[in-house]
Amino acid sequence: MDPVRNPYAPGAGQRPPELAGRDREVDAFDVVLERVARGRPERSLVLTGLRGVGKTVLLGELRSMAVRAGWGAGKLEARPDADLRRPLSAALHRAVRDLAVHHRAPDRVEETLGVLKAFALKATPSDAKIKDRWQPGIDVPVQNGRADSGDIEIDLVELFGVCAELAADVGVGIALLIDEMQDLRDDDVSALCAACHELSQSGAPLVVVGAGLPHLPAVLSASKSYSERLFRYAMIGQLNRADADLALTVPAKREDAELTEAALDALYEVSGGYPYFVQAYGKAAWDAAVQSPIDADDVRMAAPEASAELAVGFFGSRYERATPAEREYLQGMAELGEGRDEPVPTSKLAAHLGRKPSSLSPARDSLLRKGLVFSAERGWIAFTVPHFGRFLLGRD
């Protein structure tokens, strides 16, 4: 079939396959927008799940919903060992610009941007040379005295309050969306929790929507004991069969094509219902099919090509980041779990590798920092990437 019309190619269609089965989260966020706009208190939201379940795409949809509702919205991606001030400043700058279109008092907008600029400039150490000083690109005078103490926790609480006041002026809110939230530094996590706590106490119209790996709730809880009350947690997992079928049939129908029931059976079996894989195998099956309807033979013919592409781009790119010691650890996990997407006990893993548990700690800790594994619970370890064990066992 015509590859140009492939509805599963990245960016194709009006609603990407990764959003299939996410109506509950979308509807819940719609309620959040309405409640906050009416001045009612609402908890911030945290989405958790493995790689490939569509968290980033869902974040993008939630941001679009906020913009359509007239909110200010900004999105950032946390990075390991990177300071939060710069990306957060850029995200809130975008949100304030969204609000400026509707605000009738330019002076109020400029004042808010001035406070934001003061906050952003603290990302540069005071003793840095002029050539090394970062400029946030906010073309207004600095408003000194608020959100510029240098203490990220104090400054973030003040900054959120100032930005929320601007949103309240026009009867809307601000949505700050943070991807890969588990990669925030410890002091930044603490500051974010403190700021969300202040928001919940004051009812200010600013909502944080974070997305991260399954251990993100534990990261937040370790930072502030009260974090469990600050956020509403939603686990984003693989699609059930009905939603996976919709992710395939609806885009195909837009191109006047169909899939047989046998093709849907085969696609669900090979993808496991994970949205990223549903899209990858659906794209390959479309390209392999000569005509509609796409059948099981088309899926079987296309599967090796899709698997090879995933082995390089999805699995391989992550495996290449691991050191030899880390690869030994990953391989041991795959062998012990027999390729299944299930946690394995660290004590049995050490015995399987013929090593003392303490000797494996450096590799384990490094893999945790790289986001390749997570601690499902004390004494257990699991892959963050679905089907990663199967990939490792299938390598030559």
Side-chain angles (χ1 to χ4, degrees), residues 17-74:
E18 293 93 330
L19 286 177
R22 307 308 182 207
D23 290 341
R24 183 178 63 179
E25 289 76 23
V26 169
D27 291 344
F29 190 64
D30 203 27
V31 173
V32 169
L33 294 176
E34 182 67 23
R35 285 180 58 84
V36 173
R38 293 188 178 190
R40 297 177 180 176
E42 186 59 75
R43 286 179 295 173
S44 290
L45 175 65
V46 168
L47 310 171
T48 63
L50 299 175
R51 308 283 186 195
V53 296
K55 300 187 299 297
T56 299
V57 174
L58 181 55
L59 272 188
E61 175 64 14
L62 300 186
R63 182 191 178 281
S64 296
M65 289 173 61
V67 171
R68 290 194 296 269
W71 281 41

Side-chain angles (χ1 to χ4, degrees), residues 204-215:
L206 192 154
V207 175
V208 174
V209 183
L213 294 173
H215 65 288

Side-chain angles (χ1 to χ4, degrees), residues 2 8 19 48 106 124 128 137 161 163-165 168 180 195 251-252 290 311 339 345 357 359 364:
D2 186 356
Y8 311 115
L19 286 177
T48 63
T124 302
C163 292
E165 288 172 6
E180 302 293 349
V290 176
S359 69
R364 173 182 175 276

Side-chain angles (χ1 to χ4, degrees), residues 63 73-97 116-117 119-124 134-138 152 156 159-160 163 174-181 183-185 187-189 192 208-209:
R63 182 191 178 281
K75 184 173 178 288
L76 64 102
E77 180 179 329
R79 299 187 180 279
D81 302 321
D83 184 79
L84 178 63
R85 282 184 189 261
R86 289 193 185 189
L88 188 142
S89 300
L92 283 179
H93 188 196
R94 173 65 183 270
V96 171
R97 292 205 310 269
L116 177 58
K117 186 173 184 177
F119 171 86
L121 289 173
K122 286 297 179 178
T124 302
W134 174 65
Q135 294 299 323
I138 302 175
I152 183 64
L156 200 55
L159 179 64
F160 277 9
C163 292
I174 288 178
L176 178 64
L177 304 104
I178 306 176
D179 204 1
E180 302 293 349
M181 195 172 177
D183 286 337
L184 290 174
R185 299 188 313 183
D187 56 345
D188 291 333
V189 173
L192 192 63
V208 174
V209 183

Side-chain angles (χ1 to χ4, degrees), residues 2 4 13 17 30 36 46 91 94 128 136 204 213 235 276 314 317 320 329 335 342 354 381 383 389:
D2 186 356
V4 176
D30 203 27
V36 173
V46 168
R94 173 65 183 270
L213 294 173
M235 173 66 78
Y276 191 90
F314 190 73
S317 61
E320 291 301 320
Y329 194 97
E335 293 169 356
E342 298 176 359
I381 199 76
F383 294 117

Side-chain angles (χ1 to χ4, degrees), residues 37-367:
R38 293 188 178 190
R40 297 177 180 176
E42 186 59 75
R43 286 179 295 173
S44 290
L45 175 65
V46 168
L47 310 171
T48 63
L50 299 175
R51 308 283 186 195
V53 296
K55 300 187 299 297
T56 299
V57 174
L58 181 55
L59 272 188
E61 175 64 14
L62 300 186
R63 182 191 178 281
S64 296
M65 289 173 61
V67 171
R68 290 194 296 269
W71 281 41
K75 184 173 178 288
L76 64 102
E77 180 179 329
R79 299 187 180 279
D81 302 321
D83 184 79
L84 178 63
R85 282 184 189 261
R86 289 193 185 189
L88 188 142
S89 300
L92 283 179
H93 188 196
R94 173 65 183 270
V96 171
R97 292 205 310 269
D98 290 340
L99 295 174
V101 177
H102 308 289
H103 208 286
R104 296 183 179 180
D107 290 347
R108 284 278 291 125
V109 175
E110 183 172 308
E111 179 184 352
T112 301
L113 288 173
V115 174
L116 177 58
K117 186 173 184 177
F119 171 86
L121 289 173
K122 286 297 179 178
T124 302
S126 58
D127 59 350
K129 297 179 180 178
I130 294 179
K131 65 181 181 66
D132 296 327
R133 292 183 179 274
W134 174 65
Q135 294 299 323
I138 302 175
D139 192 21
V140 299
V142 176
Q143 292 284 330
N144 292 314
R146 299 182 72 181
D148 61 354
S149 71
D151 184 316
I152 183 64
E153 187 164 317
I154 294 173
D155 293 349
L156 200 55
V157 169
E158 292 185 342
L159 179 64
F160 277 9
V162 170
C163 292
E165 288 172 6
L166 187 73
D169 289 347
V170 290
V172 294
I174 288 178
L176 178 64
L177 304 104
I178 306 176
D179 204 1
E180 302 293 349
M181 195 172 177
Q182 76 284 337
D183 286 337
L184 290 174
R185 299 188 313 183
D186 291 345
D187 56 345
D188 291 333
V189 173
S190 179
L192 192 63
C193 288
C196 287
H197 180 64
E198 183 64 26
L199 290 172
S200 67
Q201 295 293 309
S202 64
L206 192 154
V207 175
V208 174
V209 183
L213 294 173
H215 65 288
L216 175 55
V219 171
L220 296 171
S221 180
S223 176
K224 295 289 188 183
S225 59
Y226 54 74
S227 67
E228 295 176 359
R229 305 191 302 272
L230 297 178
F231 303 100
R232 183 165 54 83
Y233 295 97
M235 173 66 78
I236 308 300
Q238 61 207 94
L239 302 177
N240 60 33
R241 174 59 191 271
D243 288 331
D245 286 357
L246 284 175
L248 292 161
T249 57
V250 172
K253 189 175 182 179
R254 289 200 295 263
E255 299 295 336
D256 299 319
E258 297 179 348
L259 297 93
T260 66
E261 191 69 21
L264 293 172
D265 288 341
L267 284 167
Y268 193 74
E269 180 179 356
V270 74
S271 70
Y274 291 102
Y276 191 90
F277 300 153
V278 169
Q279 184 175 29
Y281 285 100
K283 177 181 180 297
W286 177 280
D287 290 341
V290 176
Q291 60 185 10
S292 177
I294 298 172
D295 61 25
D297 287 338
D298 297 321
V299 176
R300 283 190 286 271
M301 184 182 301
E305 179 180 345
S307 296
E309 185 173 331
L310 287 169
V312 174
F314 190 73
F315 299 118
S317 61
R318 291 172 168 83
Y319 182 74
E320 291 301 320
R321 294 168 53 200
T323 65
E326 293 163 4
R327 292 178 184 180
E328 178 191 24
Y329 194 97
L330 295 171
Q331 188 69 32
M333 288 177 60
E335 293 169 356
L336 192 60
E338 298 180 345
R340 295 188 297 269
D341 294 326
E342 298 176 359
V344 298
T346 54
S347 58
K348 289 188 177 180
L349 177 58
H352 176 76
L353 294 174
R355 303 275 296 278
K356 293 182 178 180
S358 59
S359 69
L360 294 175
S361 294
R364 173 182 175 276
D365 293 345
S366 181
L367 288 169

